Amino acid sequence: MIKDKVFKAVIPAAGLGTRFLPVTKASPKEMLPLVDKPLIQYVVEEAVASGIKEVIIVTGRGKRAIEDHFDISFELEENLRENGKKSILKEIRKISMLADFCYVRQSKAKGLGHAILTAKNLVGDEPFAVLLGDDIVDAEVPALRQMIRIYEKYHAPVLAIARVKKDEVKNYGIIKGEKINSRLFSVEDLVEKPDPDDAPSDLAVIGRYILVPEVFGMLEMVKPGKNGEIQLTDGLRILAKRGPIYGYLVEGKRYDAGDKLGFLKATVEFALKNPDLGREFRSYLGSLVL
Ligand code: G1P
């Protein structure tokens, strides 16, 4: 039976962050600050604003800071209370109450598909979302909420997609799809990080997925693919052969915050929008001779 509601989200956070070295040598890339919040908090907030109740984070060695961030911080909270810092205390307390958090460790970085497989028992037999912390989507309606609406209509997996330039297709899973309407595509096939000349389209999968538990069986079947890793894309290929999958061009602005330049762009734009910093930061940027 197809279940209707998506309550669980998996956030893979065991990656080594090699695109961001050296800062990620001993610090999780998910904890890099976008203005004043770590990247992973934006992603969790998007999930929660989309109706997610349980957040499953796939971690690994060196990622303890993530668990601490979403836990209560007793000494800090006591200190803020004693010093009458009410508003920041409220903000800090809110973080640990965002959702029910659970953690599972991926002992070896064997790829995105393998990371998701690690969450199999925690997900159980229900549809679930996957959010990748590298992709930050600034949208009026949260990106995942937009996708859940599609899932609730079609009862089939939904992948967030975006158009990318030809020389960028090598960084993404690329879909071969048939257009249903201006934002929706039916996915016939996918290929992980193709050469630009072999890419079936310019429609790249960005880091948001609504998946069904059948995908775990597919991931158990796939052999190591691109870069010797168990690729989620390869599991989805099998799924696409067996039933419908949809690609949805999400509304909003997407940043690849796992890349140094993308992260800088996101930092500047989020800082400009920040109610406390925006005005002064804008005038500072204006004063730079570029
Ligand atoms: C992963 C997926 C890829 C997807 C991308 C989105 O790649 O394997 O299919 O397009 O995320 O960000 P990664 O960026 O982890 O190399």
Side-chain angles (χ1 to χ4, degrees), residues 29-45:
K29 68 171 172 176
E30 295 77 13
M31 292 303 292
L32 288 172
L34 200 47
V35 187
D36 57 359
K37 287 194 283 191
L39 288 173
I40 195 166
Q41 189 177 334
Y42 287 90
V43 174
V44 168
E45 285 175 350

Side-chain angles (χ1 to χ4, degrees), residues 23 92 111 148 205 249 265 277:
V23 69
I92 293 297
I148 289 176
V205 178
L249 282 166
K265 290 178 186 172
L277 301 166

Side-chain angles (χ1 to χ4, degrees), residues 19 112 132 135 171-173 192-193 205-207 209 231 233:
R19 287 195 292 161
L112 178 59
L132 307 186
D135 292 289
N171 301 325
Y172 297 95
E192 181 68 8
K193 304 194 172 98
V205 178
I206 57 166
Y209 309 75
Q231 296 291 350
T233 300

Side-chain angles (χ1 to χ4, degrees), residues 35-272:
V35 187
D36 57 359
K37 287 194 283 191
L39 288 173
I40 195 166
Q41 189 177 334
Y42 287 90
V43 174
V44 168
E45 285 175 350
E46 178 190 322
V48 171
S50 305
I52 296 296
K53 307 281 180 232
E54 189 176 325
V55 174
I56 300 161
I57 302 182
V58 182
T59 66
R61 279 180 295 281
K63 302 280 186 169
R64 284 288 296 275
I66 298 175
E67 288 176 53
D68 290 340
H69 187 74
F70 292 108
D71 196 357
I72 61 161
S73 176
F74 185 75
E75 293 82 359
L76 175 65
E77 288 176 23
E78 272 306 296
N79 180 288
L80 295 173
R81 207 183 333 270
E82 277 166 19
N83 291 301
K85 299 195 169 151
K86 281 194 190 145
S87 101
I88 188 69
L89 173 64
K90 205 170 143 205
E91 204 179 321
I92 293 297
R93 294 226 64 181
K94 243 180 27 198
I95 302 173
S96 57
M97 295 188 296
L98 278 168
D100 286 336
F101 291 95
C102 30
Y103 298 89
V104 57
R105 294 208 10 161
Q106 184 191 19
S107 46
K108 272 192 176 166
K110 289 202 256 178
L112 178 59
H114 181 263
I116 289 166
L117 204 45
T118 311
K120 178 181 171 188
N121 290 339
L122 290 173
V123 170
D125 190 24
E126 54 186 288
F128 63 104
V130 173
L131 298 99
L132 307 186
D134 286 351
D135 292 289
I136 298 292
V137 188
D138 188 22
E140 221 162 276
V141 177
L144 193 68
R145 179 75 237 155
Q146 299 174 37
M147 297 169 67
I148 289 176
R149 284 181 188 160
I150 304 291
Y151 175 79
E152 287 173 352
K153 184 164 175 197
Y154 293 95
H155 304 288
V158 185
L159 319 178
I161 51 174
R163 289 197 189 278
V164 295
K165 297 196 198 97
K166 190 171 178 187
D167 64 337
E168 288 173 352
V169 296
K170 60 179 186 310
N171 301 325
Y172 297 95
I174 303 292
I175 69 157
K176 175 172 186 258
E178 192 138 321
K179 194 169 180 173
I180 298 173
N181 62 39
S182 61
R183 294 206 167 269
L184 197 63
F185 290 77
S186 146
V187 178
E188 287 162 13
D189 202 0
L190 303 98
V191 43
E192 181 68 8
K193 304 194 172 98
D195 287 335
D197 292 330
D198 303 332
S201 75
D202 63 348
L203 296 168
V205 178
I206 57 166
R208 302 287 182 274
Y209 309 75
I210 308 285
L211 300 177
V212 290
E214 288 71 26
V215 77
F216 293 120
M218 321 280 151
L219 289 172
E220 278 163 345
M221 273 167 16
V222 301
K223 302 262 175 307
K226 194 90 188 179
N227 303 328
E229 296 178 339
I230 303 292
Q231 296 291 350
L232 175 59
T233 300
D234 294 338
L236 294 175
R237 286 190 84 167
I238 311 178
L239 207 58
K241 299 267 179 300
R242 303 200 177 169
I245 294 194
Y246 296 93
Y248 182 70
L249 282 166
V250 289
E251 274 180 75
K253 183 153 187 190
R254 173 189 154 260
Y255 301 90
D256 180 3
D259 164 81
K260 290 178 187 174
L261 188 61
F263 178 83
L264 286 174
K265 290 178 186 172
T267 300
V268 169
E269 291 191 40
F270 276 66
L272 284 170

